[in-house]
């Protein structure tokens, strides 16, 4: 019996570098799963949208949100399209997860002073379910690095990033965003002269631009559900 297809759905971006990095992640996942049909879809900006991408797949599908927390896109957009298909199921989003803390620690290595406090730049969502997810990844990063880690939101929630940075003058900024785009540019403007890590996916990096840990994470989300199908 053929294994379920994997539909990897990200937010979408008009940033060329960000879009390329997301596509590279999906390609790496596909290379690791040669017996699985791997497709890409988006909830905004890019095409195909999630509904169209799902409609183009015959047979069982596991939808993996390439999103870092619970929120509107997961619960409305993706679960919404999945309800139209009895053979489609949506996994948990990517975060919070220790593998993401590993990537954040990797990005922080060599940025600013060793052991300096960290402000985690998080996109933010009006959906209350996103809050424990943000707090969860901050706690995982504290445990992983032993550093003081606070959250600064880029939209929708408080404290916003400028407020969090004002309260922590010696902090470096860790980018908790999947790729380059609007929110990364906003984080860079707010960071000013402070050290700022690249996003989790950034193929402009010479090493681990598409981190092995993120490929592992997407595959683990798929396998956990596919094994029950």
């Amino acid at each position: 019996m053929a294994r379920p297809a994997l539909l990897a759905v990200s937010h979408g971006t008009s940033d060329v570098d960000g879009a390329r990095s997301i596509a590279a992640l999906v390609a790496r996942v596909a290379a690791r799963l040669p017996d699985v049909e791997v497709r890409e879809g988006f909830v905004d900006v890019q095409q195909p949208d999630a509904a169209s991408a799902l409609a183009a797949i015959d047979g069982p599908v596991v939808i993996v949100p390439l999103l870092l927390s619970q929120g509107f896109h997961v619960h409305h957009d993706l679960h919404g399209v999945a309800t139209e298909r009895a053979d489609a199921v949506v996994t948990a989003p990517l975060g919070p997860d220790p593998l993401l803390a590993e990537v954040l620690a990797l990005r922080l290595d060599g940025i600013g002073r060793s052991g300096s406090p960290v402000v985690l730049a998080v996109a933010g969502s009006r959906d209350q379910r996103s809050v424990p997810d943000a707090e969860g990844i901050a706690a995982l990063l504290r445990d992983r690095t032993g550093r003081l880690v606070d959250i600064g939101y880029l939209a929708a929630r408080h404290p916003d990033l400028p407020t969090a940075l004002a309260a922590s003058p010696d902090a470096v900024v860790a980018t908790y965003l999947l790729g380059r785009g609007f929110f990364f540019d906003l984080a860079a403007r707010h960071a000013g002269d402070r050290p700022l890590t690249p996003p989790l996916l950034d193929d402009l990096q010479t090493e681990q631009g598409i981190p092995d840990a993120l490929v592992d994470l997407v595959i683990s989300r798929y396998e956990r559900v596919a094994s029950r199908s």
Side-chain angles (χ1 to χ4, degrees):
M1 181 181 295
R3 302 185 73 195
L6 190 165
L7 177 57
V9 182
S10 60
H11 183 276
T13 178
S14 58
D15 185 281
V16 173
D17 295 325
R20 188 183 62 245
S21 291
I22 298 290
L25 171 65
V26 177
R28 287 275 306 278
V29 169
R32 287 267 302 274
L33 296 172
D35 58 338
V36 175
E37 179 183 6
V38 177
R39 298 283 191 94
E40 188 174 15
F42 308 91
V43 294
D44 200 1
V45 184
Q46 292 177 253
Q47 293 294 322
D49 60 58
S52 298
L54 180 59
I57 300 172
D58 293 324
V61 185
V62 175
I63 302 171
V64 180
L66 302 185
L67 301 165
L68 297 177
S69 67
Q70 308 286 337
F72 181 84
H73 291 309
V74 172
H75 292 284
H76 181 272
D77 293 332
L78 298 187
H79 282 279
V81 299
T83 59
E84 303 298 321
R85 286 273 295 268
D87 58 355
V89 62
V90 183
T91 76
L94 299 184
D97 193 279
L99 289 173
L100 292 175
E102 288 294 327
V103 178
L104 287 167
L106 170 74
R107 294 287 186 249
L108 281 165
D109 188 34
I111 298 289
R113 293 184 297 104
S114 176
S116 57
V118 175
V119 172
L120 194 63
V122 176
S125 169
R126 291 184 178 87
D127 192 315
Q128 183 65 30
R129 288 169 289 199
S130 69
V131 175
D133 286 351
E135 293 172 346
I137 191 62
L140 288 169
L141 186 59
R142 288 186 202 105
D143 291 343
R144 172 61 180 78
T145 63
R147 298 196 194 194
L148 177 66
V149 179
D150 292 315
I151 296 172
Y153 289 101
L154 294 163
R157 297 207 166 271
H158 296 287
D160 60 18
L161 183 56
T163 300
L165 291 175
S168 188
D170 298 328
V172 299
V173 182
T175 304
Y176 189 53
L177 302 168
L178 207 56
R180 293 178 180 267
F182 173 80
F183 280 123
F184 180 74
D185 293 342
L186 182 60
R189 289 198 297 274
H190 288 323
D193 295 333
R194 293 171 186 261
L196 171 74
T197 69
L200 298 170
L201 292 172
D202 187 17
D203 68 356
L204 298 178
Q205 303 298 305
T206 55
E207 294 184 10
Q208 288 292 304
I210 310 301
D212 296 335
L214 265 171
V215 180
D216 293 342
L217 180 54
V218 174
I219 291 173
S220 72
R221 290 287 187 268
Y222 168 81
E223 295 286 9
R224 191 173 302 171
V225 171
S227 64
R228 301 196 297 264
S229 300

